[in-house]
């Protein structure tokens, strides 16, 4: 326990010094004996489950007293001499907005930690291995030591060479390979220990997409001169879902979609979801959960969704940025594959939030908007008022994954009907107000006029069909029934959430 306290003190001191208490690592521990790991039952519960329950309670206490600043042995006050560390010329770090800037990087004042984080992002997509050493190797080395160790990045062995002599001196402590899987059925091991810390970054590749017109609206400096290995900018990603119509004109809005999510009730699953609970099962579940997001997800993006950027994916959560429609499709694919990954267990699922933005918005604000959407998903309740989560929030609508799939099917059918009947977008835009009326009526929160939504729908649809040239009375009757089933029925079942299907269609066809 004394050694653990020393480790916690080292962690606290580093995070207070470099992160000013904004981030940290909390440890929780309990004394245990061999009998605490037995499968036998004491008062109805296995000893190991009792131990884990006490440990989780201890962890909650550790979270409530981060850094233990009120203890007599706590480190020096957080802000002692803090203002004296600001350079009058450099000022505050332009990245985190609170730390004293110590250097200029690309003309931007920033602190060492922010500069290192930028370097980490650059090296993760250009290098293959990470090296941990006691002394700097002066090889793509981060400027700030972490707990007394230096971190550096290097490429593949045939390009950067071996580091055996340094390892034999004891200076090199760890070497980890973090390259993405190359094939779906190939071994992940490439001769070095693996760490799944990489993510997928969209690149231009060999396809000259701007000659097809997809990027024609971008400024000239963004249209020309990009190398195949260059990462795509957010401006390019926002255009990647635009598709040509029959006249070869590109249509579809230029927008990004940010996707954020995590597994629901994971702590409860670890605490009481394993039967019988064992240390080996907890470790295996942790590794398997991380493998889906840290291994499968970037690999899937590289093959199926090449324009989606994995900002972070690992543990039990993920944060992605990509073209709006492709990212929505990726959310569906993730949910389907995750359900298959957990063998269809209905108790293991994740919630997600999606936020559509323009590429000029800072990534930090994108994340905040998507975090708010995720909070809505995490707060979904059933009709009895029980918290159920297992939801997705998009375009301001929170629905279950089953309802999301149903609305996606409706959106596909709207696309087919619109081609057959040449539905005007004005008619479809008007349906969103009827969906809001139906939604308020379902919740009992709107005016009495909301009960008229169905009659207004029937009237608008009849007027639409009467304006169709060459359509006889029988054909109008058939189309009235078909649109009533698809659109009117969809509004009746889904209320305001029906706008998910409408927006998905309309945004794909906007010029």
């Amino acid at each position: 326990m004394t050694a653990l306290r020393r480790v916690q003190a080292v962690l606290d001191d580093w995070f207070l010094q470099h992160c000013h208490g904004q981030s940290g690592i909390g440890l929780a521990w309990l004394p245990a004996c061999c009998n605490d790991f037995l499968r036998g039952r004491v008062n109805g519960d296995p000893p190991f489950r009792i131990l884990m329950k006490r440990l989780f309670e201890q962890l909650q206490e550790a979270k409530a007293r981060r850094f233990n600043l009120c203890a007599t042995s706590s480190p020096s006050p957080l802000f002692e001499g803090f203002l004296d560390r600001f350079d009058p010329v450099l000022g505050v770090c332009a990245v985190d907005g609170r730390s004293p800037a110590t250097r200029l990087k690309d003309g931007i004042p920033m602190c060492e930690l922010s500069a290192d984080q930028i370097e980490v992002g650059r090296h993760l997509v250009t290098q293959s291995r990470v090296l941990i050493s006691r002394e700097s190797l002066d090889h793509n080395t981060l400027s700030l030591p972490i707990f007394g160790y230096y971190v550096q990045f290097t490429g593949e062995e045939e390009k950067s060479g071996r580091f055996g002599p340094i390892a034999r001196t004891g200076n090199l402590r760890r070497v980890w390979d973090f390259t993405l899987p190359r094939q779906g059925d190939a071994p992940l091991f490439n001769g070095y220990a693996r760490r799944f810390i990489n993510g997928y970054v969209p690149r231009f590749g060999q396809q000259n997409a701007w000659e097809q017109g997809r990027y024609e609206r971008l400024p000239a400096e963004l249209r020309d001169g990009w190398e195949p290995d260059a990462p795509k900018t957010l401006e390019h990603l926002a255009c990647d879902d635009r598709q040509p119509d029959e006249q070869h004109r590109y249509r579809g809005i230029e927008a990004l979609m940010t996707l954020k999510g995590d597994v629901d009730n994971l702590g409860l699953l670890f605490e009481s979801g394993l039967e019988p609970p064992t240390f080996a099962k907890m470790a295996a579940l942790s590794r398997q959960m991380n493998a889906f997001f840290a291994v499968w997800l970037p690999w899937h993006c590289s093959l199926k969704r090449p324009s989606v950027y994995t900002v972070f994916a690992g543990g039990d959560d993920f944060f992605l940025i990509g073209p709006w429609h492709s990212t929505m499709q990726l959310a569906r694919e993730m949910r389907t594959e995750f359900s298959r990954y957990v063998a269809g267990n209905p108790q293991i699922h994740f919630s997600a939030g999606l936020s559509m933005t323009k590429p000029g918005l800072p990534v930090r604000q994108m994340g905040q908007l998507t975090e708010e959407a995720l909070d809505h998903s995490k707060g979904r309740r059933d009709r009895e008022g029980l918290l159920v989560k297992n939801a997705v929030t998009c375009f301001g609508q929170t629905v279950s994954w089953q309802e999301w799939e149903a609305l996606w099917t409706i959106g596909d059918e709207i696309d087919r009907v619109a081609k057959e009947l040449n539905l005007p977008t004005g008619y479809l835009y008007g349906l969103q107000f009827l969906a809001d009326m139906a939604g308020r009526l379902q919740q009992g929160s709107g005016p009495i006029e909301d009960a008229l939504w169905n009659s207004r729908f029937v009237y608008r649809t009849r007027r639409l069909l009467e304006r169709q040239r060459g359509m006889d009375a029988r054909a109008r009757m058939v189309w009235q029934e078909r649109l009533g089933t698809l659109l009117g029925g969809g509004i009746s079942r889904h209320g305001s959430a029906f706008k998910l299907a409408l927006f998905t269609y309309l945004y794909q066809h906007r010029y």
Side-chain angles (χ1 to χ4, degrees):
M1 293 179 66
T2 302
L4 288 172
R5 291 192 183 95
R6 287 200 300 266
V7 171
Q8 183 69 77
V10 172
L11 295 176
D12 289 347
D13 182 68
W14 193 91
F15 279 102
L16 285 172
Q17 179 181 355
H18 299 290
C19 301
H20 316 296
Q22 299 294 313
S23 302
I25 297 177
L27 303 179
W29 59 82
L30 287 173
C33 62
C34 294
N35 290 336
D36 289 323
F37 293 85
L38 297 179
R39 290 188 176 185
R41 296 183 177 273
V42 178
N43 298 327
D45 283 327
F48 184 72
R49 173 167 292 167
I50 297 175
L51 176 65
M52 288 297 101
K53 182 178 180 180
R54 293 172 54 216
L55 185 59
F56 273 94
E57 292 172 351
Q58 191 77 4
L59 181 60
Q60 294 302 318
E61 291 186 15
K63 291 180 179 179
R65 49 180 173 80
R66 291 178 60 191
F67 302 110
N68 204 20
L69 294 177
C70 296
T72 56
S73 59
S74 64
S76 58
L78 180 59
F79 294 105
E80 182 177 336
F82 178 72
L83 297 179
D84 297 332
R85 295 160 57 187
F86 282 87
D87 185 281
V89 177
L90 296 176
V92 68
C93 174
V95 177
D96 68 11
R98 58 177 177 268
S99 302
T102 58
R103 57 186 290 190
L104 286 175
K105 182 177 178 62
D106 299 327
I108 301 173
M110 60 184 68
C111 63
E112 296 297 324
L113 183 59
S114 295
D116 280 350
Q117 288 175 334
I118 294 174
E119 287 300 301
V120 168
R122 182 170 66 88
H123 292 315
L124 284 178
V125 300
T126 59
Q127 306 297 329
S128 304
R129 290 174 288 163
V130 59
L131 313 175
I132 310 296
S133 62
R134 293 189 179 276
E135 300 177 359
S136 174
L137 302 179
D138 195 23
H139 187 88
N140 297 325
T141 305
L142 302 184
S143 59
L144 188 65
I146 301 179
F147 310 128
Y149 291 90
Y150 288 87
V151 180
Q152 39 262 310
F153 295 84
T154 186
E156 297 178 354
E157 187 173 278
E158 55 269 21
K159 296 180 180 179
S160 62
R162 296 175 180 268
F163 290 86
I166 302 176
R168 284 189 287 271
T169 65
N171 183 21
L172 185 62
R173 308 303 296 172
R174 293 290 187 274
V175 178
W176 290 316
D177 171 39
F178 56 80
T179 53
L180 289 177
R182 297 177 180 176
Q183 296 178 352
D185 56 353
L188 294 175
F189 183 70
N190 294 323
Y192 294 88
R194 296 281 299 181
R195 282 295 182 271
F196 303 111
I197 58 176
N198 200 350
Y200 175 73
V201 174
R203 302 176 188 275
F204 284 99
Q206 298 297 332
Q207 183 180 9
N208 220 358
W210 45 85
E211 290 185 357
Q212 301 177 5
R214 185 171 283 116
Y215 303 140
E216 61 184 2
R217 297 182 182 177
L218 295 180
E221 62 270 17
L222 293 177
R223 293 199 306 266
D224 305 317
W226 295 96
E227 296 294 332
D229 288 337
K232 286 187 177 182
T233 69
L234 296 183
E235 286 79 5
H236 291 97
L237 295 184
C239 298
D240 277 353
D241 275 342
R242 301 184 69 216
Q243 300 296 330
D245 62 9
E246 293 78 6
Q247 289 76 39
H248 303 288
R249 296 181 302 163
Y250 273 80
R251 65 186 178 187
I253 63 171
E254 301 171 11
L256 297 172
M257 188 71 80
T258 308
L259 170 62
K260 199 171 187 179
D262 60 41
V263 177
D264 298 319
N265 307 319
L266 187 62
L268 182 63
L269 181 64
F270 274 99
E271 185 176 349
S272 57
L274 300 175
E275 187 62 40
T278 65
F279 187 81
K281 286 183 177 180
M282 294 184 67
L285 178 60
S286 177
R287 293 192 184 99
Q288 290 171 342
M289 194 67 67
N290 177 70
F292 181 84
F293 298 107
V295 181
W296 178 86
L297 180 54
W299 174 77
H300 179 76
C301 288
S302 67
L303 291 182
K304 304 294 185 181
R305 299 296 167 197
S307 292
V308 178
Y309 190 114
T310 56
V311 180
F312 174 79
D316 72 320
D317 58 349
F318 51 90
F319 180 25
L320 312 171
I321 300 177
W324 72 276
H325 194 251
S326 295
T327 307
M328 293 174 67
Q329 291 176 310
L330 176 59
R332 298 176 62 222
E333 295 161 357
M334 288 177 60
R335 190 260 176 178
T336 300
E337 291 301 319
F338 186 76
S339 178
R340 188 172 68 90
Y341 186 72
V342 299
N345 190 328
Q347 303 301 319
I348 308 178
H349 42 73
F350 67 82
S351 294
L354 296 102
S355 176
M356 178 184 284
T357 59
K358 290 296 184 180
L361 192 71
V363 174
R364 180 182 301 176
Q365 295 184 27
M366 292 182 188
Q368 292 173 351
L369 292 173
T370 314
E371 186 68 33
E372 294 174 2
L374 177 59
D375 289 342
H376 287 295
S377 298
K378 291 288 187 180
R380 187 177 78 93
R381 298 179 180 273
D382 60 14
R383 294 182 178 180
E384 286 73 31
L386 298 177
L387 187 65
V388 292
K389 304 181 180 181
N390 193 20
V392 57
T393 298
C394 184
F395 300 137
Q397 304 297 322
T398 300
V399 296
S400 67
W401 286 105
Q402 292 78 9
E403 188 173 7
W404 168 277
E405 287 298 325
L407 289 165
W408 197 277
T409 301
I410 292 175
D412 291 340
E413 183 63 23
I414 291 176
D415 186 52
R416 287 189 288 269
V417 169
K419 292 177 180 177
E420 292 182 48
L421 193 59
N422 193 23
L423 283 177
T425 57
Y427 169 80
L428 294 174
Y429 272 111
L431 296 182
Q432 63 178 305
F433 301 105
L434 302 182
D436 285 333
M437 293 174 66
R440 291 193 298 265
L441 186 64
Q442 292 173 355
Q443 299 173 2
S445 59
I448 192 171
E449 289 82 3
D450 286 341
L452 299 175
W453 77 264
N454 191 41
S455 60
R456 293 182 179 178
F457 167 76
V458 173
Y459 173 76
R460 288 170 54 85
T461 303
R462 177 169 288 277
R463 290 294 305 272
L464 168 71
L465 296 175
E466 289 175 348
R467 291 193 293 267
Q468 295 288 328
R469 295 182 179 180
M471 183 178 291
D472 58 26
R474 179 173 178 79
R476 284 197 296 269
M477 184 176 63
V478 172
W479 273 109
Q480 183 87 33
E481 182 178 356
R482 184 175 177 182
L483 294 177
T485 302
L486 174 63
L487 304 178
I491 293 174
S492 178
R493 289 190 302 272
H494 302 289
S496 58
F498 185 77
K499 293 188 294 185
L500 281 169
L502 285 176
F503 292 160
T504 302
Y505 169 80
L506 290 170
Y507 288 157
Q508 289 183 84
H509 294 79
R510 181 182 294 177
Y511 286 93

